[in-house]
């Protein structure tokens, strides 16, 4: 009997302790800075191209308060962003989510740039190929050695300085 | 009376532009010099004509003629006169007239020059300029007429140009007024600068088209438009910087660039314009890249037109966008026509654009310039794709998306870093040939010095790796560029036995383009310091304060002292001004006055920051109205923006550099002609 | 020496030309699409309204269903009212809408559905309680419904759909009176 009583009291005290801790957590409301940090990653769902942390409208104030409430409930930033996306659509995020079709925005530019770089280097290779055939035909392409070129360069430099 | 006059003149200008196209084409195809001259004269007439119309519009704006729909839209009695003038470009219709006026100015200026050597270009330059004018004037005359007036017709107020039957003129007591964000001295200069930049790119494009059509695909078109391109680039660059400064001053977002689609639409032609500036040097020095230069100038013009279209048609969602307008399809027709014609011409003349010389080495200056072009084009691809993607997404998934700053910053940062590295290496590379050894020898001292500077910064300022890389690159470029000045001056000193300063001034005086360019590079690095400071080290905090309470951030303490609120009926504004005391590390620095201005007529707020600027940083304090603001309590948002003023300092130096580089010196190709003229003058004088 | 031997006079290859023109056409088509959407953002009167889902707010279900599709309502006249708790003009028409609903709620013919546009659940709850709204209400999840009905959605707006699912009338702005709502419904009854 005594053992049961002790267990009950112990359990009761423990739950009081945990409740106290839980209450303590929700007693300090999230700061404006914390709200802004999350709002900065969102755009106002109704205004044109306005980030949520700077949007001045009443609606935006409500959304920021929603963020504050969700932070107070212990939600993480990722969860809050997910919630906003589900409620208002992907356009509310500051950049497209990394899923499905939207991968295209992240992958296409590097692909195009690599293609461009490939073309550039291929052209450079072609342009710097020693044109032995051309000199045989007596073409315009001159085949000069590095020393000749640097001499030419210096000579031109001197010429310019004389002006 | 003024409204009818203004509109009538625009119709006349529209018709004259049509005439000049017809006359020019006829004159060119039938080899009639008289017709071409007639076309030239009609082109010359455009500027005076449109100026008259513009004058009429400004008169109406400044004298509160609220029966004119445009005047009602953009002005109000409480606006000061200078802002009423700037309201000319404060709305769609007026800004289209402004665009046309600037284009007419440039077109008329171009026709004044001596055309003897390039007479075959003239008709086609006229055609391109006039066709563009026809489109812009057409949009104004048909769709977006700033001279329409309000009429009372059977109890309804309707806008028409000419009086409908049984209608009386309707004059409102007061106008709407400009959006408060636009009521700022920045309005005087930012849009005009941008528009100047956009419009002046029409001229190089016109010459490029003329070169393609006439088959004169040699350097001539580039030499003729070199200075135009440079000035166009100056205006565009300045327009962008001014936009940034304005946003920083009045937007209250704590930043200067938001990667907003319309900002990017103005940035894209700047990217190709910069690439063009560099690659024309290759064509001039080495005869290469004729294809590429042609493509670049067409691309720049296309981006200008396309960007203007996107901004005005409602296709993009943006804080800058004009309200929805009927000009959309018409403008799109113009864009399509320009693109199709340009591409067709380039493809037709492709074989004629072959260059003469080959390249010697992968590290020569030409090769590095090409790499520079690749990097600029890469940034362009990122920007273009980011602007277009919301449309693509909506088309394929039905869902709109937002492409915001994180995407652009992450993608372009490494490219800009690579560009900075190139800025440090390319000046040391020679035209025609360079090797790793020659470059290494030229750069190692600057590289080591830059590393030392970076190490010092690591020890004293920051451990942020990205920022340190940025500082290293900035230091490298600054050192290499300054070294170029010193090397050149010293070589001249020895050669000409002048003292150092004479040598230096003669050196840069004789090579304005090169050293002006180097000054521009230095100014860009100063701007980079500002950007790096903001991106890497900006801190902010927000909090509600009761009187006497304070917020702390980065060593600053900002204490809320008091609040004052009053109406200014004359300006039509309610001011709410907070006074805060600023301390740094305990030392009292002074007072700041952030404000919220409420405009009665448009029922909008403006948040004006209290800003304390030093070379080291800005302390930027905003009054925020998340909670109602009162003397009991107010919410403040405070930014500390390190190094931001180097951005503005750099842009001033940029102005110096570009004016220096563009300052006319004698065109060397005209030397023989000049000598002949001089000889004939002296012989005639005998 | 013939010119065809050297490649210096070669024009643009056919593949390149096809690629360039295809890209241009694609780009112009895309922009044309965007322009079209910008100029014609609304659903068209006389056309069937595309399908969408409704996930009702707890306590505001329709006939006990937590979720339903628009097509489930075929055979009835549907009045879709778009509102938001942060919208002042919406408050103006809210009592009239509820009063009108009281007139129609017992008929199996007419359905009122409120769609809450970019709103917070807390704000929605407060609004609905304040005006004693009893007709079914659902949030516009992912802004899907508004992007179908009006890409440039403003609030309040009301859409009248007939028994065959065709859009018959659009009302932009708040209703002035209960009578106005009745007249609108009667016009297609």
């Amino acid at each position: 009997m005594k053992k049961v009583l002790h267990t009950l009291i112990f359990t009761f005290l423990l739950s009081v302790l945990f409740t106290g801790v839980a209450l303590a957590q929700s007693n300090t409301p999230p700061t404006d800075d914390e709200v802004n940090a999350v709002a900065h990653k969102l755009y106002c769902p109704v205004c044109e191209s306005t980030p949520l942390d700077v949007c001045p409208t009443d609606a935006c104030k409500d959304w920021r308060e929603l963020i504050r409430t969700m932070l107070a409930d212990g939600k993480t930033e990722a969860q809050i962003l997910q919630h906003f996306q589900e409620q208002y659509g992907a356009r509310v995020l500051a950049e497209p989510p990394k899923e499905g079709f939207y991968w295209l925005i992240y992958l296409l530019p590097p692909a195009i740039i690599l293609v461009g770089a490939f073309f550039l280097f291929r052209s450079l290779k072609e342009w710097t190929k020693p044109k032995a055939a051309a000199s045989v035909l007596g073409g315009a392409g001159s085949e000069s050695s590095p020393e000749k070129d640097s001499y030419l360069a210096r000579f031109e430099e001197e010429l310019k300085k004389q002006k | 009376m003024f409204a009818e006059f203004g509109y009538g003149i625009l119709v006349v200008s529209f018709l004259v532009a049509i005439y000049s196209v017809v006359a020019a084409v006829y004159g060119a195809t039938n080899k009639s010099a008289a017709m071409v001259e007639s076309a030239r004269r009609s082109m010359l007439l455009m500027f005076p004509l449109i100026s008259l119309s513009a004058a009429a519009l400004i008169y109406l704006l400044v004298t509160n003629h609220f029966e004119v729909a445009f005047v009602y839209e953009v002005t109000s009695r409480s606006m000061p006169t200078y802002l009423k003038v700037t309201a000319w470009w404060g709305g769609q219709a007026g800004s289209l007239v402004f665009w046309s006026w600037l284009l007419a100015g440039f077109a008329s200026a171009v026709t004044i020059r001596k055309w003897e050597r390039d007479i075959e270009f003239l008709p086609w330059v006229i055609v391109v300029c006039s066709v563009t004018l026809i489109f812009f004037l057409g949009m104004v005359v048909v769709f977006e007429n700033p001279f329409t007036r309000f009429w009372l017709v059977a109890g309804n107020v309707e806008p028409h140009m000419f009086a409908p039957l049984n209608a009386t003129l309707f004059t409102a007591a007061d106008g709407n007024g400009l959006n408060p964000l636009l009521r700022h001295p920045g309005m005087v200069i930012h849009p005009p600068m941008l528009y100047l930049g956009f419009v002046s790119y029409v001229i190089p494009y016109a010459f490029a088209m003329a070169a393609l059509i006439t088959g004169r695909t040699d350097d001539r078109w580039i030499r003729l438009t070199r200075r135009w391109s440079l000035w166009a680039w100056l205006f565009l660059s300045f327009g962008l910087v001014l936009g940034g400064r304005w946003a920083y001053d009045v937007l209250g977002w704590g930043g200067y660039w938001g990667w907003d689609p319309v900002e990017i639409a103005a940035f894209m032609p700047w990217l190709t314009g910069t690439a063009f500036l560099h690659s024309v040097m290759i064509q001039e020095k080495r005869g290469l890249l004729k294809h590429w230069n042609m493509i670049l100038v067409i691309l720049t013009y296309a981006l200008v037109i396309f960007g203007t279209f996107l901004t005005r048609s409602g296709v993009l969602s943006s804080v800058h966008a004009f309200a929805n307008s009927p000009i959309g399809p018409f403008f799109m027709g113009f864009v399509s026509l320009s693109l199709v014609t340009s591409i067709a011409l380039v493809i037709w003349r492709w074989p004629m654009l072959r260059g003469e010389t080959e390249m010697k080495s992968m590290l020569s200056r030409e090769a590095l310039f090409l790499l520079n072009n690749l990097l600029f084009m890469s940034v362009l691809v990122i920007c273009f794709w980011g602007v277009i993607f919301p449309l693509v997404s909506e088309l394929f998934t039905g869902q709109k998306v937002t492409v915001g700053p994180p995407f652009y910053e992450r993608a372009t940062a490494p490219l800009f870093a690579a560009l900075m590295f190139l800025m440090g290496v390319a000046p040391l590379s020679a035209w025609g040939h360079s090797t790793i050894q020659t470059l290494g020898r030229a750069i190692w001292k600057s590289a080591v010095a830059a590393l030392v500077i970076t190490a010092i910064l690591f020890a004293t300022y920051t451990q942020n790796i990205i920022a340190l890389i940025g500082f290293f690159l900035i230091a490298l470029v600054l050192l290499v560029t300054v070294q170029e000045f010193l090397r050149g001056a010293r070589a001249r000193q020895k050669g000409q036995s002048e003292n150092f300063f004479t040598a230096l001034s003669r050196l840069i005086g004789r090579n304005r383009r090169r050293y002006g360019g180097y000054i521009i590079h230095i100014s860009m690095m100063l701007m980079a310091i500002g950007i790096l400071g903001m991106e890497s080290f900006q801190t902010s905090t927000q909090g509600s304060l009761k009187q006497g309470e304070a917020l702390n951030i980065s060593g600053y303490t900002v204490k809320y002292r008091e609040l004052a609120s009053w109406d200014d009926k004359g300006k039509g504004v309610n001011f709410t001004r907070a006074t805060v005391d600023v301390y740094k590390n305990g030392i009292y620095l002074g007072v700041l006055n952030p404000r919220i201005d409420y405009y009665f007529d448009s029922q909008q707020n403006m948040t004006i920051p209290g800003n304390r600027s030093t070379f080291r940083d800005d302390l930027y304090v905003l009054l925020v109205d998340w909670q109602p603001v009162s003397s009991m309590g107010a919410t403040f948002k405070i930014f500390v923006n390190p190094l931001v003023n180097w951005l503005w300092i750099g842009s001033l130096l940029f102005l110096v550099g570009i004016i220096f580089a563009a300052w006319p010196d004698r065109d060397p190709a005209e030397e023989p002609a000049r000598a002949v003229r001089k000889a004939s003058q002296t012989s005639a004088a005998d | 020496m013939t010119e065809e031997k050297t490649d210096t006079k070669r024009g643009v290859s056919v593949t390149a030309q096809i690629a360039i023109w295809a890209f241009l056409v694609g780009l112009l088509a895309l922009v044309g699409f965007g322009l079209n959407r910008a100029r014609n953002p609304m659903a068209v009167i006389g056309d069937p309204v595309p399908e969408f889902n409704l996930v009702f707010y707890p306590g505001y279900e329709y006939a006990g269903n937590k979720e339903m599709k628009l097509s489930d309502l075929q055979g009835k006249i549907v009045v879709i009212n778009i509102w938001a708790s942060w919208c002042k003009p919406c408050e103006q028409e809210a009592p009239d809408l509820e009063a009108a609903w009281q007139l129609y709620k017992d008929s199996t013919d007419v359905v009122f559905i409120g769609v809450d546009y970019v709103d917070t659940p807390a704000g929605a709850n407060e609004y609905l309680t304040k005006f004693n709204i009893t007709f079914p209400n659902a949030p516009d999840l992912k802004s899907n419904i508004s992007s179908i009905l009006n890409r440039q959605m403003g609030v309040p707006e009301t859409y009248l759909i007939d028994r065959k699912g065709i859009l018959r009338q659009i009302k932009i702005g708040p209703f002035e009176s209960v009578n106005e709502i009745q007249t609108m419904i009667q016009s297609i009854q």
Side-chain angles (χ1 to χ4, degrees):
Chain A
M1 191 57 207
K2 232 180 170 178
K3 225 179 175 183
V4 173
L5 194 60
H6 280 166
T7 323
L8 278 173
I9 293 173
F10 179 68
T11 319
F12 175 69
L13 285 173
L14 218 55
S15 48
V16 166
L17 180 68
F18 276 117
T19 323
V21 169
L23 277 173
Q25 273 181 333
S26 57
N27 265 349
T28 51
T31 61
D32 283 356
D33 285 348
E34 288 168 342
V35 171
N36 271 336
V38 180
H40 189 67
K41 304 209 168 139
L42 291 166
Y43 269 65
C44 167
V46 273
C47 338
E48 298 281 349
S49 294
T50 312
L52 192 57
D53 57 339
V54 292
C55 173
T57 63
D58 284 338
C60 288
K61 287 185 193 157
D62 284 345
W63 283 307
R64 287 190 291 258
E65 288 314 304
L66 174 65
I67 295 176
R68 200 191 296 273
T69 317
M70 291 182 80
L71 282 171
D73 285 340
K75 298 269 191 308
T76 65
E77 183 183 276
Q79 286 171 317
I80 297 177
L81 293 179
Q82 177 76 4
H83 170 87
F84 269 77
Q85 183 186 347
E86 276 162 14
Q87 289 286 314
Y88 310 120
R91 71 202 161 114
V92 88
L93 297 173
E95 50 174 349
K98 297 187 175 67
E99 50 189 51
F101 179 79
Y102 305 125
W103 274 113
L104 210 55
I105 188 158
Y106 297 107
L107 297 178
L108 207 64
I112 296 179
I113 294 169
L114 284 172
V115 167
F118 168 72
F119 275 118
L120 175 65
F121 284 112
R122 208 184 62 167
S123 307
L124 277 179
K125 270 234 150 74
E126 214 179 283
W127 284 332
T128 55
K129 229 180 1 198
K131 287 268 192 262
S135 60
V136 166
L137 292 169
S142 53
E143 196 192 68
S144 37
S145 55
E147 304 98 63
K148 217 167 154 202
D149 260 326
S150 71
Y151 172 69
L152 259 168
R154 276 188 292 133
F155 184 71
E156 279 173 321
E157 196 75 67
E158 290 304 318
L159 264 181
K160 266 189 268 168
K161 286 177 199 151
Q162 297 304 328
K163 284 202 196 123
Chain B
M1 184 194 86
F2 278 93
E4 285 111 331
F5 174 71
Y7 184 66
I9 292 276
L10 283 179
V11 175
V12 169
S13 315
F14 178 69
L15 295 171
V16 171
I18 294 180
Y19 170 75
S20 72
V21 173
V22 171
V25 173
Y26 182 83
T29 47
N30 292 25
K31 308 246 183 290
S32 160
M35 281 310 266
V36 173
E37 178 60 18
S38 172
R40 188 183 79 87
R41 296 225 181 109
S42 54
M43 177 110 262
L44 199 56
L45 205 54
M46 300 302 296
F47 184 63
L49 278 177
I50 302 186
S51 300
L52 286 172
S53 181
L57 185 57
I58 293 178
Y59 173 78
L60 291 170
L61 284 167
V62 165
T63 52
N64 297 327
H65 270 251
F66 297 125
E67 75 274 12
V68 177
F70 184 69
V71 176
Y72 172 80
E73 210 182 287
V74 298
T75 65
S76 61
R77 289 188 193 279
S78 57
M79 280 167 59
T81 308
Y82 85 92
L83 274 182
K84 286 183 188 163
V85 173
T86 69
W88 177 15
W89 50 82
Q92 176 86 277
S95 72
L96 284 173
V97 173
F98 185 57
W99 226 101
S100 309
W101 181 70
L102 287 174
L103 181 55
F106 286 129
S108 301
V110 146
T111 55
I112 292 180
R113 62 182 298 281
K114 292 193 185 53
W115 279 98
E116 295 86 42
R117 281 188 67 196
D118 315 293
I119 194 69
E120 63 228 295
F121 281 166
L122 179 59
W124 303 110
V125 171
I126 293 176
V127 166
V128 171
C129 292
S130 292
V131 167
T132 315
L133 261 175
I134 289 172
F135 271 100
F136 276 86
L137 286 174
M139 283 193 283
V140 172
V141 162
V142 178
F143 297 107
E144 286 277 353
N145 180 1
F147 294 107
T148 54
R149 289 159 296 173
F150 288 125
W151 303 91
L152 209 50
V153 184
N156 289 325
V157 176
E158 299 172 356
H160 297 283
M161 182 60 225
F162 298 109
L165 224 50
N166 297 327
T168 49
L169 212 50
F170 176 78
T171 311
D174 198 358
N176 254 345
L178 272 182
N179 184 319
L181 285 171
L182 299 179
R183 299 193 207 186
H184 179 270
M187 187 60 174
V188 176
I189 189 163
H190 161 64
M193 272 294 142
L194 268 185
Y195 284 42
L196 276 169
F198 291 153
V199 174
S200 26
Y201 271 114
V202 178
I203 307 294
Y205 171 75
F207 276 90
M209 291 294 104
L212 286 176
I213 294 174
T214 58
R216 273 195 66 183
T217 50
D218 57 308
D219 280 359
R220 188 69 190 147
W221 74 269
I222 288 191
R223 286 187 194 280
L224 289 174
T225 55
R226 193 171 64 74
R227 213 155 265 113
W228 282 104
S229 311
L230 202 51
W231 284 105
W233 191 70
L234 164 72
F235 292 135
L236 192 53
S237 310
F238 238 78
L240 289 166
V241 168
L242 284 169
R245 177 74 216 203
W246 189 358
Y248 189 73
D249 274 351
V250 306
L251 206 52
W253 294 12
Y256 51 83
W257 185 259
W259 292 103
D260 177 85
V262 170
E263 288 173 3
I264 299 173
F267 186 54
M268 290 194 286
W270 184 88
L271 289 168
T272 53
T274 313
F276 181 65
L277 265 185
H278 289 89
S279 83
V280 287
M281 282 192 242
I282 306 184
Q283 184 163 343
E284 286 185 38
K285 281 275 180 349
R286 308 274 295 153
L288 291 167
L289 299 184
K290 290 184 179 169
H291 296 126
W292 183 238
N293 284 319
M294 199 54 87
I295 291 174
L296 270 180
V297 76
I298 291 172
L299 200 52
T300 308
Y301 173 76
L303 286 168
V304 165
I305 296 290
F306 194 62
T308 309
F309 162 71
L310 285 179
T311 315
R312 293 164 184 278
S313 59
V315 174
L316 290 183
S317 149
S318 158
V319 286
H320 290 86
F322 288 89
N324 236 339
S325 159
I327 62 171
F330 188 67
F331 209 143
M332 194 165 158
F334 175 53
V335 172
S336 314
L337 176 72
S338 309
L339 288 174
V340 166
T341 320
S342 315
I343 293 177
L345 280 171
V346 171
I347 291 180
W348 175 41
R349 291 299 199 192
W350 192 259
M352 288 193 77
L353 287 165
R354 269 297 176 177
E356 291 113 20
T357 336
E358 288 94 34
M359 233 181 261
K360 291 296 179 296
S361 97
M362 296 275 251
L363 287 172
S364 60
R365 198 177 283 197
E366 307 89 279
L368 292 180
F369 271 32
L370 278 176
L371 195 51
N372 148 313
N373 271 220
L374 175 69
L375 289 167
F376 275 112
M377 297 310 286
S378 304
V379 177
L380 176 70
V381 163
I382 290 168
C383 290
F384 191 76
W385 185 233
V387 165
I388 284 292
F389 190 73
L391 277 177
V392 173
S393 160
E394 204 180 347
L395 178 63
F396 287 102
T397 69
Q399 277 274 319
K400 267 201 283 193
V401 285
T402 307
V403 182
F407 168 76
Y408 293 107
E409 286 168 2
R410 223 182 18 235
T412 59
L415 295 172
F416 285 130
L419 274 168
M420 277 160 54
F421 183 67
L422 267 185
M423 263 199 251
V425 173
L428 303 172
S429 152
W431 290 105
H433 185 81
S434 262
T435 62
I436 291 273
Q437 290 87 354
T438 55
L439 282 177
R441 245 177 283 132
I443 205 176
W444 76 269
K445 287 197 193 125
S446 304
V448 166
L451 269 173
V452 169
I453 294 176
T454 312
I456 295 174
L457 286 172
F458 177 81
T460 60
Y461 193 64
T462 177
Q463 280 79 49
N464 178 332
I465 291 291
I466 306 281
L468 285 170
I469 294 176
F471 281 128
F472 169 74
L473 289 169
I474 293 172
L476 180 68
V477 174
L478 285 172
L479 288 165
V480 164
T481 317
V482 168
Q483 182 189 312
E484 283 298 290
F485 281 92
L486 295 177
R487 241 181 23 151
R490 248 182 251 128
R492 206 195 150 83
Q493 217 182 350
K494 284 208 196 95
Q496 310 283 73
S497 30
E498 293 161 341
N499 76 53
F500 179 75
F501 291 103
T502 325
L504 184 64
S505 65
R506 291 251 171 87
L507 173 78
I508 56 187
R510 300 284 159 96
N511 290 289
R512 286 204 191 94
R513 249 208 334 182
R514 166 187 286 200
Y515 290 97
Y518 288 158
I519 296 176
I520 293 174
H521 279 189
I522 292 177
S523 72
M524 291 270 159
M525 289 301 97
L526 294 181
M527 292 173 74
I529 292 175
I531 295 174
L532 198 56
M534 279 286 267
E535 297 301 312
S536 308
F537 306 122
Q538 183 187 46
T539 50
S540 74
T541 187
Q542 180 173 324
S544 295
L545 297 176
K546 300 202 195 18
Q547 265 181 311
E549 288 184 340
L551 280 171
N552 290 309
I553 177 170
S554 302
Y556 287 97
T557 305
V558 177
K559 190 155 78 161
Y560 177 27
R561 199 207 284 182
E562 64 184 3
L563 190 78
S565 185
W566 72 98
D567 286 347
D568 186 330
K569 288 282 191 283
K571 291 202 186 127
V573 184
N574 168 280
F575 291 104
T576 306
R577 193 184 68 186
T579 308
V580 297
D581 294 304
V582 176
Y583 302 83
K584 184 161 186 185
N585 298 323
I587 305 166
Y588 183 69
L589 290 177
V591 149
L592 284 177
N593 292 301
R595 290 193 335 250
I596 295 180
D597 300 346
Y598 177 75
Y599 285 77
F600 294 117
D601 49 17
S602 40
Q603 296 180 6
Q604 271 179 294
N605 269 342
M606 280 254 275
T607 31
I608 311 288
N611 195 13
R612 180 181 175 273
S613 298
T614 63
F615 287 123
R616 197 187 163 93
D617 58 28
D618 264 12
L619 180 71
Y620 185 97
V621 180
L622 288 163
L623 195 54
V624 167
D625 62 351
W626 283 21
Q627 315 284 349
V629 170
S630 73
S631 35
M632 305 303 198
T635 316
F636 293 95
K637 187 165 186 181
I638 306 173
F639 288 95
V640 176
N641 297 323
L643 302 174
V644 70
N645 290 298
W646 290 100
L647 186 55
W648 320 122
I649 295 172
S651 59
L652 287 175
L653 185 64
F654 173 83
L655 185 61
V656 169
I658 214 180
I659 290 180
F660 191 74
W663 199 256
D665 45 41
R666 297 160 163 211
D667 181 356
E670 289 186 340
E671 267 317 320
R674 204 176 287 124
V676 168
R677 275 204 297 278
K678 228 179 170 174
S680 61
Q681 274 170 356
T682 46
S683 62
D686 290 342
Chain C
M1 176 169 59
T2 52
E3 287 204 347
E4 293 90 280
K5 267 199 173 172
T6 66
D7 60 1
T8 46
K9 296 296 181 199
R10 180 187 62 201
V12 182
S13 72
V14 179
T15 8
Q17 285 202 44
I18 293 176
I20 294 168
W21 291 114
F23 173 75
L24 185 63
V25 168
L27 179 66
L28 289 175
L30 178 70
V31 175
F33 160 78
L35 186 61
N36 201 33
R37 291 277 271 164
R39 288 160 56 74
N40 302 308
M42 277 205 255
V44 181
I45 290 181
D47 281 356
V49 178
E51 177 80 290
F52 54 79
N53 268 0
L54 293 160
V55 180
F56 295 106
Y57 278 128
Y60 294 90
E61 296 90 352
Y62 178 70
N65 295 311
K66 290 214 183 100
E67 268 185 56
M68 68 193 317
K69 299 200 203 333
L70 179 65
S71 52
D72 295 340
L73 291 167
Q74 278 220 355
K76 304 192 204 302
I77 293 176
V78 186
V79 177
I80 299 192
N81 172 258
I82 322 279
W83 60 277
S85 66
W86 41 263
C87 152
K88 293 288 173 281
C90 303
E91 298 189 355
Q92 201 183 315
E93 66 168 9
D96 291 338
L97 279 166
E98 178 57 26
W101 173 239
Q102 292 302 323
L103 299 171
Y104 287 102
K105 69 175 183 175
D106 293 318
S107 77
T108 49
D109 217 20
V110 179
V111 173
F112 279 36
I113 310 255
V115 173
D116 191 11
Y117 176 63
V118 289
D119 209 346
T120 59
N125 212 17
E126 199 184 306
Y127 182 92
L128 292 168
T129 324
K130 177 170 167 187
F131 293 102
N132 295 314
I133 307 281
T134 55
F135 53 85
N137 263 279
D140 181 11
L141 285 177
K142 287 195 157 97
S143 304
N144 193 33
I145 300 176
S146 53
S147 64
I148 288 173
L149 292 174
N150 186 355
R151 193 174 163 272
Q152 286 163 11
M153 180 64 72
V155 274
E157 290 182 7
T158 309
Y159 293 78
L160 184 69
I161 305 177
D162 70 11
R163 296 189 180 83
K164 298 205 193 82
I166 310 276
L167 179 64
R168 298 295 291 271
Q169 267 189 61
I170 302 174
K171 165 82 181 171
I172 307 283
F175 286 107
E176 303 290 321
S177 64
V178 181
N179 204 26
E180 196 186 338
I181 306 174
Q182 277 181 293
T183 317
M184 187 182 75
I185 297 174
Q186 275 157 8
S187 69
I188 63 167
Q189 249 174 340

